[in-house]
Amino acid sequence: MTELSAEAKSANVVFFSERAPVLVILSVLVFLIFARTGESIHGQMTRLGEYLWDDYFSLRAEPVPPTCDPHVDVEARLNQLEADSKKSSGDFDLMDDGFNREAARTSLENQLRVCQHEFQALEQYEARVTLGVKLFRGLEHQFSQASVFATAQQQSILLVLLFFAAGIATHKRHHIAFRPMLWALDFKVSTAAQLLANSALAFSAWSYRSSTFNSSIAVSNPFLINGLVAGTTVLALISLYQLFNQPKNAMRGGKIGHALLSVPLYTFVMLLFAVIVFINQHHVAGLSIYFSAYFDNAGTYLDVALYLWCGMLLKQTQIGERVFSIFTPWKLPPELLATVAILVMAVPTAYTGASSIILLAAGTVVYRELRKVGTRRQLALAVTAMTGSSGVVLKPCLIVIIISILNKQVTTDALFFWGNKVFLLTVSTFFLYAMLIKKEPLRLTPFNQAWQPSLNNMRPLVPYVIVFILVSMAYSIFLEAHLDQFSAPVILPVILFAVIVYERKFAKAPQIYHDPERMDTVGGALTRSMADASVHVGALLFMMATFIIMTSLG
C-alpha cells in the first residue's frame, strides 16, 4: 500500500508539474483557433440569415417593448391636461393665453398613432421570429460572443499562455542560450542568473501592483497586473528550487566561459535593464511597466505561438520524408541536393516564421537525406541550419511583420520585396560556392531511369495535396478566409491536424521511419506536438517579451 501511494503521489506530481500546464496551453491555443474561426463563421452566418429571412439584421436583436399606452382615452387625457393647466396658472401669468385644447388634441392623437405603430411593429416582429429564427439567432450569438471575447481578452490570453509556457521552459531548463547546460558549473551559473533576473522582474511587478492599486485612478486591467505578479513570482520560485536541486546527471566541473554561454539570452537583457531602471532611473516599477508593453501587440505574439505549434504538428507528419523521396531516384550529388533542400524548406519556414522550429520539425530528415548521398558532415550541418533560416525573409513570415510593427519606418511590402531578393541572392551564392568546392563530377541519373520512380514516389503526396486543398477551399468558400499572412496561423494547424488524421486513420503505412518521437495515434500526436511546442513557445515568447524592454526604453 505504501508503494502504491508513493507511486500515486509521484504520478500526481508529474501531472501537475508537467502535464497540467501543457493541457492549459493546448486549451488556450485550441480556443484561440475556434474563436478566430468563429469570427469568420459569425460573418457568414449573418449573411446566411439575411438570405433566409428578410431583414435578418433586425430579427437578430431583441426588441425594446414600447412604454406608451396604445389604448389611451384622448378626451379623458385632454380633460386632465386642461384641469392641470388651470391649477398651475396664476394671477401673474400675463403671457398665458390659456389651454389650447385643439392643439393638445392634435399632439395626443399623433402620439397615439406613433404608439400604435410601435406596437404593430412589435407584433409583426414577434410573428416573424419563428423557432428556426430563434435557434439560428442563438447559435449566431454564441459565435459572436466567442469572437468578441477572444478579441477583447487577447492580452489576458497571452498572459496565461506566456507564463505557463515560460514556467515549462524554466522547469525543463530549455530557455534560449548559446549552448546547453551540461556541466555542474553550467547549471549553477545559469540557474543563479535566472533567479536574479526573475526575482528582479517579480520585485518590479510587486512594486508596480502596489503603486497602481494604491493610487486614486481606477485600474483598467487588474487581471494583467495580478497575472504579471503571479507569473513572475512563480518563475522566481522555480529558479530558486532549481538552484538547490541540480540534476544528478550533470557532469562534474566545468569552465566559467562555457557556463556563461549557457545563461539564457533573456537573462542578460533582464539583468542589464534592471540595473538601468533600478539604479539610474530609480524607478523600481519601471522594469515591469516596460515588460508589460509586450502585451500591446498580443494578437501578433499569439500568432507566433500558433506557428510554433504548427512546426511541432509538422514534426508528427511524414511530409518531410515524402517530399525528399521525390528526389531520391535522381541520385543528386550532395551539393545539388543541398540547394534543393534549401529551396524546399524555405516554404514551411516562411509560413511558420520560426527557423528553430523548422529545424526541430524537419532538420533530422534533411540531415539524414543529405548524409545518405554522401554529403560531408560539416556541409550537411550547414545546409540543415540554412533550411531553417533562409525562408524567414519570405512572405508571409511573421517575424517580418513583427519587425514592421516595432519599426514604423518600414512596411511589410518593402521588407518582403527586399526579402525575396535576399533569398535569391543567398541561394544563388550558396549554389555557386557549392559547385566550386564540389569534389566529384556533377552526374545525375538518366532521365529515362529516374522519372518513373520519382513519379511513383510523388503519388503518396497526392493525398496530402488533396487535404491541403480541401481545407483551404473550405475556409475560402464557406468562411471567405483565404490562406495569407493573416489567416495562416489559424488555418495551418487545422490543415496539419487533418494530415495527421489522414496518416493515422487512412494511410496504409503510418510509419516510414522508426521515430520514437512520432506518435501512432491522433490523440498521441496532438498531445506530443503540444508538449514539444510548449517548451519552445515559452522560450521564444519570453525572450521576445524581455527584448521589448529595449524598444520601450528607447
Side-chain angles (χ1 to χ4, degrees):
M1 293 294 293
T2 305
E3 292 182 358
L4 290 176
S5 61
E7 291 179 358
K9 291 180 180 179
S10 177
N12 290 333
V13 170
V14 171
F15 176 80
F16 285 106
S17 63
E18 296 185 6
R19 296 180 183 177
V22 171
L23 291 177
V24 171
I25 297 171
L26 177 62
S27 301
V28 168
L29 293 183
V30 171
F31 168 77
L32 197 61
I33 291 174
F34 276 107
R36 292 191 178 179
T37 304
E39 295 178 10
S40 301
I41 295 176
H42 173 247
Q44 293 302 100
M45 288 190 70
T46 55
R47 292 187 179 184
L48 178 61
E50 190 66 21
Y51 175 78
L52 296 175
W53 299 281
D54 293 335
D55 196 20
Y56 172 74
F57 287 101
S58 63
L59 298 179
R60 64 188 299 269
E62 290 291 342
V64 179
T67 57
C68 59
D69 184 6
H71 306 292
V72 65
D73 188 339
V74 176
E75 293 298 329
R77 181 60 177 161
L78 286 173
N79 294 335
Q80 180 182 357
L81 291 175
E82 186 175 5
D84 293 341
S85 175
K86 290 179 179 180
K87 290 180 182 180
S88 61
S89 63
D91 296 335
F92 299 98
D93 294 335
L94 301 179
M95 303 300 294
D96 187 9
D97 295 334
F99 179 70
N100 190 335
R101 190 178 182 88
E102 292 303 320
R105 183 192 301 277
T106 302
S107 176
L108 285 176
E109 289 176 348
N110 291 336
Q111 293 178 24
L112 180 60
R113 281 193 294 271
V114 171
C115 181
Q116 291 175 346
H117 178 73
E118 290 178 353
F119 273 93
Q120 290 175 0
L122 179 62
E123 291 178 0
Q124 294 175 358
Y125 172 87
E126 292 176 346
R128 294 175 60 196
V129 179
T130 60
L131 178 61
V133 173
K134 292 181 180 179
L135 294 175
F136 186 87
R137 183 178 64 184
L139 183 61
E140 184 240 312
H141 284 178
Q142 293 298 321
F143 282 106
S144 175
Q145 292 174 3
S147 60
V148 170
F149 176 82
T151 303
Q153 301 298 324
Q154 281 191 126
Q155 291 187 342
S156 300
I157 294 173
L158 178 59
L159 177 76
V160 172
L161 178 66
L162 174 67
F163 282 108
F164 268 93
I168 294 175
T170 304
H171 173 68
K172 294 187 176 181
R173 296 180 172 90
H174 209 289
H175 280 287
I176 299 173
F178 288 111
R179 64 185 300 272
M181 291 177 278
L182 300 174
W183 303 87
L185 185 61
D186 298 348
F187 287 96
K188 291 179 181 178
V189 172
S190 180
T191 306
Q194 290 182 64
L195 176 60
L196 289 176
N198 295 336
S199 299
L201 184 59
F203 180 64
S204 176
W206 280 101
S207 176
Y208 179 36
R209 183 185 185 280
S210 177
S211 60
T212 302
F213 282 90
N214 291 333
S215 66
S216 58
I217 302 175
V219 181
S220 59
N221 195 344
F223 181 82
L224 184 63
I225 299 175
N226 290 326
L228 187 63
V229 169
T232 54
T233 303
V234 169
L235 291 182
L237 292 176
I238 293 175
S239 298
L240 179 63
Y241 172 82
Q242 290 181 336
L243 184 63
F244 295 99
N245 293 271
Q246 300 295 332
K248 297 180 180 179
N249 59 349
M251 295 182 289
R252 294 183 179 181
K255 297 180 180 180
I256 188 62
H258 291 171
L260 291 175
L261 291 176
S262 67
V263 176
L265 298 180
Y266 89 87
T267 305
F268 291 110
V269 177
M270 188 72 73
L271 291 176
L272 173 62
F273 287 104
V275 172
I276 295 175
V277 175
F278 291 172
I279 298 177
N280 291 355
Q281 297 184 356
H282 304 288
H283 185 32
V284 176
L287 187 65
S288 58
I289 293 175
Y290 295 137
F291 183 87
S292 61
Y294 173 75
F295 299 97
D296 293 340
N297 297 309
T300 302
Y301 296 109
L302 288 173
D303 289 346
V304 174
L306 289 172
Y307 274 134
L308 292 173
W309 187 26
C310 286
M312 293 298 98
L313 286 171
L314 179 64
K315 186 178 180 180
Q316 292 295 319
T317 69
Q318 305 166 16
I319 294 178
E321 292 92 337
R322 299 287 193 187
V323 171
F324 275 94
S325 67
I326 298 175
F327 307 101
T328 302
W330 297 92
K331 297 181 180 179
L332 300 177
E335 295 79 10
L336 192 56
L337 183 61
T339 306
V340 171
I342 295 174
L343 291 171
V344 170
M345 297 306 297
V347 175
T349 304
Y351 271 95
T352 59
S355 58
S356 59
I357 294 303
I358 291 300
L359 288 177
L360 293 170
T364 303
V365 176
V366 174
Y367 181 80
R368 181 173 57 230
E369 295 297 326
L370 291 172
R371 292 289 286 169
K372 282 171 60 177
V373 298
T375 307
R376 301 188 305 277
R377 181 175 179 273
Q378 292 80 358
L379 180 60
L381 289 173
V383 173
T384 304
M386 285 190 65
T387 56
S389 59
S390 59
V392 296
V393 294
L394 300 177
K395 190 176 183 178
C397 181
L398 192 62
I399 300 299
V400 176
I401 297 176
I402 293 176
I403 292 173
S404 66
I405 292 174
L406 299 178
N407 187 355
K408 304 300 182 182
Q409 297 178 351
V410 296
T411 62
T412 54
D413 290 339
L415 291 174
F416 284 131
F417 173 78
W418 288 105
N420 293 334
K421 294 182 178 297
V422 170
F423 176 74
L424 292 175
L425 178 62
T426 302
V427 175
S428 301
T429 303
F430 175 83
F431 177 73
L432 293 175
Y433 178 75
M435 291 298 101
L436 290 175
I437 64 171
K438 65 183 181 66
K439 297 182 177 180
E440 298 179 359
L442 187 62
R443 295 176 181 174
L444 300 177
T445 302
F447 179 82
N448 58 355
Q449 298 179 15
W451 76 271
Q452 188 65 45
S454 181
L455 184 62
N456 293 336
N457 291 343
M458 194 181 298
R459 288 172 182 169
L461 273 173
V462 173
Y464 295 88
V465 176
I466 293 175
V467 170
F468 181 88
I469 293 175
L470 288 178
V471 177
S472 300
M473 288 181 62
Y475 270 91
S476 179
I477 295 175
F478 298 107
L479 303 179
E480 290 191 358
H482 307 287
L483 187 61
D484 54 23
Q485 63 265 36
F486 304 106
S487 62
V490 176
I491 299 178
L492 285 179
V494 179
I495 293 175
L496 290 171
F497 179 73
V499 169
I500 290 175
V501 172
Y502 160 73
E503 288 186 345
R504 271 61 177 183
K505 298 296 184 180
F506 303 103
K508 295 182 179 179
Q511 291 288 349
I512 297 178
Y513 301 103
H514 178 69
D515 188 348
E517 295 186 356
R518 187 177 293 166
M519 302 292 105
D520 293 331
T521 62
V522 175
L526 185 65
T527 53
R528 182 55 183 267
S529 66
M530 179 48 60
D532 294 339
S534 60
V535 178
H536 305 295
V537 169
L540 183 58
L541 290 189
F542 203 76
M543 187 181 71
M544 286 182 170
T546 305
F547 275 65
I548 285 294
I549 300 174
M550 289 193 221
T551 61
S552 301
L553 278 172

